[in-house]
Amino acid sequence: NVAELAAALNELGLAARGSPDALSVHPTAAAAVAGAGFVQESVPERLPLKHALYREIEGALDAGAVVASSASG
């Protein structure tokens, strides 16, 4: 629920300039990236998991979308 997410961000001090209206929740990763110009992927460094995520979102990405990946270690 967006209201709960917004409250948690406020409690952590991470929403000083943000707005709950800018948050949205989606049932799938593909639905979350549809129409996005920039996607930040931050799943754990487990290749099968990353590959599954990319398979899921690939068809939903706009042609010019940028997908950035966070890597750890």
Side-chain angles (χ1 to χ4, degrees):
N1 159 328
V2 172
E4 290 174 4
L5 294 172
L9 291 173
N10 277 324
E11 187 175 312
L12 293 169
L14 300 175
R17 296 181 299 163
S19 166
D21 297 333
L23 296 174
S24 59
V25 177
H26 302 276
T28 65
V33 303
F38 179 85
V39 175
Q40 175 63 51
E41 169 272 304
S42 298
V43 300
E45 289 300 310
R46 297 194 329 245
L47 284 179
L49 180 59
K50 283 192 181 272
H51 290 169
L53 175 67
Y54 278 93
R55 274 192 303 277
E56 180 182 346
I57 68 172
E58 186 174 21
L61 291 168
D62 287 349
V66 173
V67 179
S69 178
S70 294
S72 61

